[in-house]
Amino acid sequence: MTQPHELPLWLLFTLLSLAAIQGTWLFLDAKKRSRFPWLWGLWGLTSIPTPLLVYLLVVRKVWKRRGV
């Protein structure tokens, strides 16, 4: 029986992969928009999905889009 604080290997791999994909996308998109790419990329590697949600609200301003 596993301890409650141990994550299965497949879940750990999935979370690390999602963080890497998120951080990479944030870095590339912020670089394209000249919006502190290293900051967004590094923050994107630390947690899921908070950096992505903040980026979409602050930089991309998704709530202001009309006619989509």
Side-chain angles (χ1 to χ4, degrees):
M1 186 170 174
T2 61
Q3 300 295 325
H5 64 277
E6 295 178 0
L7 290 176
L9 190 57
W10 65 269
L11 181 58
L12 183 61
F13 179 74
T14 302
L15 291 174
L16 290 175
S17 297
L18 287 173
I21 291 167
Q22 174 183 263
T24 302
W25 184 84
L26 286 173
F27 174 79
L28 293 174
D29 197 67
K31 186 176 180 183
K32 181 173 69 172
R33 298 173 189 281
S34 299
R35 299 289 185 160
F36 306 104
W38 288 103
L39 170 76
W40 289 108
L42 288 174
W43 190 31
L45 293 173
T46 62
S47 63
I48 303 168
T50 304
L52 179 62
L53 296 175
V54 172
Y55 181 81
L56 290 174
L57 292 173
V58 172
V59 175
R60 298 286 298 260
K61 296 181 173 85
V62 293
W63 76 89
K64 288 189 173 183
R65 291 199 177 171
R66 295 177 196 191
V68 176

